Amino acid sequence: MKSVLNTLGLLLITVSLATAQDFKKETDKFRKKYKDEFLSSANSPLKEADLPFLQFYEPDSSYRVIAKFEKSRGQSFEMPTYSGVNKTYVKYGKVKFRINGRKQTLTVYRSLSLQQLAKYKDYLFIPFKDKTNGDESYGGGRYLDLKTTDIKDGQLVLDFNKAYNPYCAYSDGYNCPIPPAPNHLPIAITAGEKKFGKDHQQAQLK
């Protein structure tokens, strides 16, 4: 009996390690694509020499959660940006989830302008702030991207390991939406992208 239990224990450890490795590979793949997009985007604030200064938390599967989605029927409104230009969004819904046992809620938004483009017609947007802002992560908050097709049977996966900085974290002159007050989380999200390793002036000189 003891031998069987030992075998089962080793099997569970092996499965757990394999799952962790797969999660890390998935996160690393996402981050490589994220970095590559800076080099292919026409309006990118960064050059290849800047990419080593991008910083991230270690992949953490506890920040990949199943969230309950509740659809909204909100009217369009103007979301302020850090440049002072407003962007038009609608409230698409809310996601409710738990992080480290604590209940949290975020509002999901949809851009009316992007909705008109075929490439972004399914695009959803979650700008948020948390207790790491200004210390470990960018002070202006971070973003998560989703698609309408990610929502299945009233649920979706929220992976904060994929949280990224707006372009305003790297350079001035971009219209980056300011996360609305309802999306200010009262906890620290120690996952996703950290502060950029250069200041604006250093990045622009390269």
Side-chain angles (χ1 to χ4, degrees):
M1 184 66 178
K2 185 176 180 180
S3 176
V4 173
L5 291 175
N6 287 340
T7 301
L8 286 174
L10 288 172
L11 180 61
L12 289 173
I13 291 172
T14 302
V15 170
S16 178
L17 287 173
T19 301
Q21 289 171 353
D22 288 344
F23 177 77
K24 185 178 185 306
K25 285 181 181 178
E26 179 187 338
T27 305
D28 289 344
K29 183 179 179 181
F30 171 84
R31 290 176 179 175
K32 183 182 184 306
K33 182 180 178 182
Y34 173 70
K35 291 177 182 179
D36 289 345
E37 286 177 350
F38 282 107
L39 304 181
S40 60
S41 175
N43 67 333
S44 172
L46 301 181
K47 296 181 173 64
E48 189 169 5
D50 300 313
L51 299 189
F53 295 91
L54 295 174
Q55 303 179 99
F56 303 88
Y57 290 100
E58 286 296 314
D60 187 344
S61 59
S62 67
Y63 285 97
R64 188 178 189 269
V65 299
I66 303 295
K68 180 181 178 182
F69 176 78
E70 296 179 357
K71 185 73 179 289
S72 298
R73 294 181 178 273
Q75 293 182 334
S76 63
F77 72 101
E78 298 299 304
M79 187 182 294
T81 72
Y82 285 109
S83 68
V85 175
N86 290 340
K87 290 188 174 183
T88 307
Y89 284 86
V90 294
K91 293 180 181 179
Y92 189 79
K94 289 185 177 181
V95 287
K96 297 183 177 181
F97 55 97
R98 288 179 180 268
I99 291 286
N100 296 326
R102 296 178 61 181
K103 293 181 179 179
Q104 307 295 336
T105 301
L106 287 170
T107 301
V108 183
Y109 300 95
R110 191 174 200 174
S111 167
L112 291 187
S113 60
L114 289 181
Q115 190 178 345
Q116 307 305 314
L117 304 175
K119 183 179 179 181
Y120 298 106
K121 64 183 180 67
D122 296 326
Y123 175 80
L124 300 175
F125 176 58
I126 302 179
F128 72 95
K129 285 190 174 185
D130 68 276
K131 293 299 184 180
T132 68
N133 296 150
D135 181 15
E136 297 178 355
S137 68
Y138 174 58
R142 293 178 288 172
Y143 300 159
L144 282 172
D145 292 341
L146 300 169
K147 293 182 178 180
T148 56
T149 51
D150 292 331
I151 304 166
K152 298 175 182 178
D153 299 322
Q155 292 185 329
L156 65 126
V157 175
L158 274 186
D159 189 353
F160 287 96
N161 293 275
K162 297 179 179 179
Y164 65 94
N165 291 336
Y167 275 6
C168 295
Y170 315 114
S171 180
D172 298 324
Y174 291 94
N175 303 324
C176 307
I178 301 172
N183 278 13
H184 293 190
L185 295 174
I187 60 172
I189 301 293
T190 54
E193 189 168 4
K194 292 183 175 182
K195 273 184 178 179
F196 187 48
K198 286 184 176 182
D199 61 27
H200 287 175
Q201 288 73 27
Q202 287 177 308
Q204 289 172 327
L205 288 172
K206 295 293 184 181

